[in-house]
Amino acid sequence: MSYLALSFTLIFIAVTMFISLRRKLGLEKDIIIGTVRATIQLLAIGYILGYVFAQHKLWMLIGIIMVMITTASINAAKRGKIFKPAVWKLMLCIGSVEAFVMLMLLGLGMIEPSAQYIIPLSGMTIGNAMVVAGLFLTQLKREGEASKEEIEMFLALGATQKQSLHRLMQRAVRFSMIPTIDALKTVGLVQLPGMMTGMIIAGASPTEAVKYQLLILFVLTGAAALTSILMSILFQNALLTEDLRIRSLK
């Protein structure tokens, strides 16, 4: 695709801004900032990845993955500013999920030990974990506010911290998994995923593209489940103080 053809896609952005102006949604600034940032970031990472792929240096590969994990953790932490120190817990969670997924993929020989495969799959894994973690923190805050009386009742009856928060954590885990499970159920019927579509456009056979897409779907589903479970463990103490009082969630 030429840059001229690519520039024509800005028509979609213009239409979006027109709708925002017409309906007085106030989204114009965010749309412009998002468009500029996306363009700069993607062009930059395109050149960086091209250089990294050519160099075959392990430290470059690790450096890019660490930047991904750190950025994802900082972004997800915005959903749970009241849960401090959220960033370090999120880095531990997302980093552990990334390490587990890559060890499985490389250890079982499902992908080649090359930056060309590791970086894109790491990006998908880390990005998915970021979304799941953000949803978990959002729901945890909501559940903490809505279930205050339930938690106090369990504590008054002599329940431990873990017991009093068990049902709340279950609901937060389920909520964070909803987008992943919905995508798993509707793939191929409602949407053709990005990787599959890209391979088909590039000339690969649809059946070969499906194999790779199934690999991605199953990896992301497992990564999402592991992320939500780790989040429930790492943030087990986030709602209660050491003397078993409910923290302020404002």
Side-chain angles (χ1 to χ4, degrees):
M1 179 186 291
S2 67
Y3 283 105
L4 177 60
L6 181 62
S7 66
F8 288 143
T9 60
L10 291 174
I11 294 172
F12 297 105
I13 301 299
V15 170
T16 305
M17 291 184 62
F18 174 77
I19 294 172
S20 178
L21 284 167
R22 186 78 174 179
R23 304 295 296 179
K24 298 181 180 179
L25 300 177
L27 298 175
E28 304 82 37
K29 182 179 178 181
D30 289 335
I31 291 171
I32 293 174
I33 292 174
T35 301
V36 173
R37 284 189 58 177
T39 303
I40 294 173
Q41 289 167 187
L42 287 175
L43 286 174
I45 197 63
Y47 286 112
I48 291 171
L49 290 181
Y51 179 76
V52 171
F53 291 167
Q55 295 300 310
H56 303 289
K57 299 283 182 66
L58 180 61
W59 67 268
M60 289 184 179
L61 173 62
I62 294 174
I64 287 178
I65 292 175
M66 289 305 300
V67 169
M68 289 180 177
I69 292 173
T70 303
T71 304
S73 300
I74 293 172
N75 189 67
K78 295 176 182 177
R79 301 287 184 180
K81 293 179 180 179
I82 59 172
F83 304 123
K84 298 179 180 180
V87 173
W88 295 109
K89 289 182 179 180
L90 283 161
M91 287 186 69
L92 176 60
C93 176
I94 296 174
S96 298
V97 171
E98 161 66 6
F100 173 77
V101 168
M102 284 302 118
L103 285 173
M104 291 291 290
L105 291 176
L106 293 170
L108 296 175
M110 288 185 277
I111 63 171
E112 296 179 18
S114 149
Q116 186 177 353
Y117 292 92
I118 294 174
I119 291 177
L121 287 171
S122 292
M124 294 180 193
T125 302
I126 294 168
N128 187 63
M130 176 187 71
V131 172
V132 172
L135 289 173
F136 179 90
L137 290 176
T138 299
Q139 188 64 14
L140 182 61
K141 184 177 182 294
R142 290 176 184 168
E143 289 287 344
E145 293 171 340
S147 306
K148 184 177 180 180
E149 294 180 358
E150 177 186 328
I151 298 169
E152 290 176 338
M153 180 189 71
F154 277 112
L155 291 173
L157 292 173
T160 63
Q161 176 174 290
K162 185 177 180 179
Q163 291 171 334
S164 65
L165 297 174
H166 179 68
R167 294 176 62 186
L168 181 151
M169 288 294 179
Q170 276 188 329
R171 293 193 291 268
V173 167
R174 287 173 182 164
F175 180 83
S176 66
M177 287 289 294
I178 288 175
T180 303
I181 295 173
D182 283 350
L184 194 63
K185 289 179 179 178
T186 59
V187 66
L189 296 175
V190 178
Q191 61 170 333
L192 293 180
M195 185 174 189
M196 177 180 169
T197 304
M199 289 184 67
I200 292 174
I201 292 174
S205 70
T207 53
E208 192 66 20
V210 166
K211 292 177 184 178
Y212 278 97
Q213 190 58 59
L214 285 174
L215 168 66
I216 298 301
L217 283 173
F218 297 155
V219 165
L220 294 184
T221 302
L226 183 57
T227 300
S228 59
I229 292 170
L230 284 175
M231 289 291 290
S232 68
I233 295 172
L234 292 171
F235 287 86
Q236 182 71 52
N237 304 324
L239 292 176
L240 298 176
T241 61
E242 293 182 2
D243 57 352
L244 300 183
R245 295 182 180 181
I246 299 177
R247 296 180 187 276
S248 173
L249 299 178
K250 297 180 181 180

